[in-house]
Amino acid sequence: MLQRHCGEFGWWQLRHFALTNLALTLEAFHTMVMVFTDREPDFRCGGGGGGVAQGVCGLDPGSWEWADGPGGTIVAEWGLVCGQKFKVGLVQAAFFVGCMIGAGTFGHLADATLGRKGSLTVVSIMNAVLGFLTAFSPNYWAYLVVRLLTGISCGGVGLAAFVLSTEPVGPTKRGTAGGSSFYFFSSGIGLLSALAYFLQPWRQLYIASSLPSVAYLFLALPFISESPRWYLVRGRVEEAMKVMRSIAESNGNSIPNGVVLSLDEDTSSNGNEKESEQTALIITTGTLMDVLGSPVTRTRLLLGMAVCFLSSTVYYGLSLNVVNLDTNLYANVAVNAAAEMPSFTLTAVLLDKVGRKPLAITTQVFSGVSCIVGSVVTGRAGGSAWEVVRTACGVMGVFGMAGAYNMLYVYAAELFPTVVRNATMGCALQAAQVGAILAFLLPETLNRLLYDTIAGIEEGEIS
């Protein structure tokens, strides 16, 4: 119907696509804010000297102070250094555990009772409320719990927004549209970097980064429509047709009288209008057990989860590692976000020319090679030139993996039918969040001691 009567990507789809994917910009705020709020700030000694936070462990209490004051980050406010340093990684890992829970929970609910728009509404409300609650966390453990809950809501945002924005798009335009979704996420990272530069106290940054989520609830969500595909598989044919007529009218087209939607499994029926009409009213559902029961979908799900797991480990490992580079944090985050933009353009253009599978392989190989080169450069002698080369390798690694990550959303959405599309993509994203969690489990070793014995490393790392 989109191809023949409504238009595959006209004014209606453009407006719907933009309004829906604004949620990805806000998700970037809530996800990447930890880069700034959870960082280790610089300190200065009483004599005027300075250094990085890892050096305070050997100093006497009262002989140093935080360069940005005690309220600059959670590390400064709650003293998360030395023996308490593990708590920084713990709260960040908790966030991605929440994302894993949210992806599975809202992936199922978006296919079942809530629908695509219903799920997006719930998680958007949660993001707005939890963002403000985070800013008023009285202690570390309250902060950890709220970040865990924020992870649950963020885990459902990207999934619901992507599927809702691409399902009303025609097949020949879907690859380009889906490949353009993550422009919104990268734009959010760039905007957050600028916001964090001017609002460095972590509580103020959480408040400022949550205000747009409140605006989204009132200025965008009311103008977003539910997916006609979800209406159809739930047996709500009239509501699906109402959306389709709206699409056609907005695009300057019309749907002929007598033309109605039907499920793909009904297209082989004998053409009896009454029988087809009765069949369309049956609610068609699916569960993960159905996915695992089919050899076709089971293989696709397991492979998709494996690829998402690996891609997420690299993407978040590079994106969140900017705090360990000896260059300006705000500039690095902005550069990484800018590096993702041309990657999205390239994948959006090539998706329909070279196909999904060749592009998935190429982008991941490119990212892997860039990371290997960067690791070799890291082992060389220090110097500003090598720092630039290392940063460039990191940027190229982000460029490749951002393209792969972006393309995988499109690929995964097309690998599974409507009745289980959100649930299966939720499983793939759960695997991706496990990969993101692993990015926090290993410590930074730059300029650290090279230990010789197990007893030595235990004493050095725990003390």
Side-chain angles (χ1 to χ4, degrees):
M1 189 174 287
L2 288 168
Q3 286 180 296
R4 295 181 182 180
H5 307 297
C6 299
E8 294 192 63
F9 196 85
W11 166 247
W12 191 97
Q13 285 98 335
L14 178 62
R15 177 181 59 82
H16 179 80
F17 182 84
L19 290 175
T20 304
N21 281 310
L22 279 175
L24 295 179
T25 301
L26 306 180
E27 182 195 359
F29 281 17
H30 294 285
T31 300
M32 303 304 291
V33 67
M34 69 179 75
V35 173
F36 305 102
T37 61
D38 298 7
R39 64 184 173 86
E40 296 184 3
D42 292 340
F43 71 94
R44 55 173 173 258
C45 297
V52 292
Q54 66 181 20
V56 304
C57 298
L59 300 177
D60 295 329
S63 64
W64 59 275
E65 62 182 3
W66 298 111
D68 298 327
T73 71
I74 66 167
V75 173
E77 181 162 334
W78 294 319
L80 306 182
V81 292
C82 306
Q84 299 295 311
K85 188 176 180 180
F86 75 95
K87 290 183 177 179
V88 178
L90 180 63
V91 73
Q92 293 171 345
F95 174 84
F96 286 107
V97 169
C99 289
M100 183 172 64
I101 297 171
T105 302
F106 288 103
H108 170 72
L109 291 175
D111 282 336
T113 54
L114 287 181
R116 279 57 163 144
K117 183 183 178 180
S119 293
L120 182 61
T121 301
V122 172
V123 294
S124 296
I125 294 173
M126 289 178 63
N127 267 347
V129 173
L130 292 170
F132 282 103
L133 289 179
T134 308
F136 296 98
S137 300
N139 53 54
Y140 168 81
W141 295 110
Y143 179 80
L144 183 144
V145 171
V146 179
R147 286 299 288 168
L148 171 67
L149 296 175
T150 305
I152 293 176
S153 59
C154 284
V157 169
L159 191 59
F162 180 84
V163 173
L164 180 57
S165 67
T166 55
E167 281 193 336
V169 178
T172 66
K173 307 296 183 182
R174 189 171 52 237
T176 302
S180 302
S181 292
F182 277 79
Y183 280 119
F184 292 86
F185 189 85
S186 293
S187 298
I189 297 176
L191 291 172
L192 176 66
S193 181
L195 189 63
Y197 180 80
F198 293 103
L199 288 174
Q200 295 190 12
W202 72 271
R203 294 183 186 273
Q204 293 182 24
L205 182 57
Y206 268 112
I207 292 174
S209 61
S210 300
L211 286 173
S213 294
V214 177
Y216 184 79
L217 296 176
F218 298 99
L219 302 180
L221 270 177
F223 305 100
I224 295 174
S225 299
E226 179 58 88
S227 169
R229 292 182 183 272
W230 182 79
Y231 277 143
L232 179 61
V233 298
R234 299 298 296 179
R236 298 162 66 172
V237 181
E238 278 303 314
E239 290 168 281
M241 285 300 301
K242 182 179 179 180
V243 176
M244 297 303 289
R245 292 189 190 100
S246 176
I247 295 174
E249 182 180 349
S250 296
N251 293 344
N253 301 313
S254 62
I255 300 175
N257 293 330
V259 176
V260 294
L261 290 168
S262 64
L263 296 171
D264 47 16
E265 63 187 25
D266 298 329
T267 56
S268 59
S269 63
N270 58 19
N272 184 290
E273 184 175 343
K274 182 177 181 181
E275 178 182 340
S276 176
E277 190 174 302
Q278 291 174 340
T279 304
L281 292 175
I282 298 175
I283 297 177
T284 305
T285 61
T287 65
L288 287 177
M289 295 304 297
D290 298 321
V291 175
L292 295 174
S294 166
V296 176
T297 54
R298 179 174 62 245
T299 302
R300 292 180 177 183
L301 178 62
L302 296 177
L303 290 176
M305 291 176 67
V307 174
C308 285
F309 168 79
L310 298 171
S311 299
S312 179
T313 303
V314 177
Y315 177 79
Y316 282 106
L318 290 172
S319 297
L320 299 177
N321 190 55
V322 293
V323 296
N324 294 314
L325 297 177
D326 296 331
T327 48
N328 185 276
L329 173 63
Y330 305 97
N332 273 331
V333 173
V335 168
N336 276 2
E340 297 180 5
M341 298 289 192
S343 177
F344 298 154
T345 302
L346 190 62
T347 52
V349 171
L350 295 179
L351 269 173
D352 293 327
K353 297 184 181 298
V354 302
R356 279 55 165 160
K357 184 176 178 179
L359 199 58
I361 296 172
T362 304
T363 51
Q364 292 185 78
V365 169
F366 179 83
S367 179
V369 171
S370 299
C371 291
I372 291 173
V373 173
S375 67
V376 173
V377 170
T378 302
R380 291 181 172 271
S384 59
W386 288 117
E387 292 296 338
V388 171
V389 173
R390 184 169 66 142
T391 301
C393 289
V395 169
M396 297 307 291
V398 170
F399 175 89
M401 195 49 65
Y405 216 92
N406 181 38
M407 186 276 310
L408 285 173
Y409 264 78
V410 180
Y411 201 7
E414 294 175 342
L415 287 173
F416 303 100
T418 301
V419 290
V420 292
R421 182 168 294 122
N422 269 70
T424 49
M425 287 187 69
C427 284
L429 289 181
Q430 283 182 308
Q433 303 312 330
V434 173
I437 293 169
L438 293 183
F440 296 105
L441 297 184
L442 293 175
E444 173 57 46
T445 57
L446 178 65
N447 298 326
R448 300 293 293 275
L449 293 174
L450 187 63
Y451 295 99
D452 297 310
T453 65
I454 294 177
I457 196 171
E458 287 183 347
E459 181 180 353
E461 293 298 318
I462 294 176
S463 62

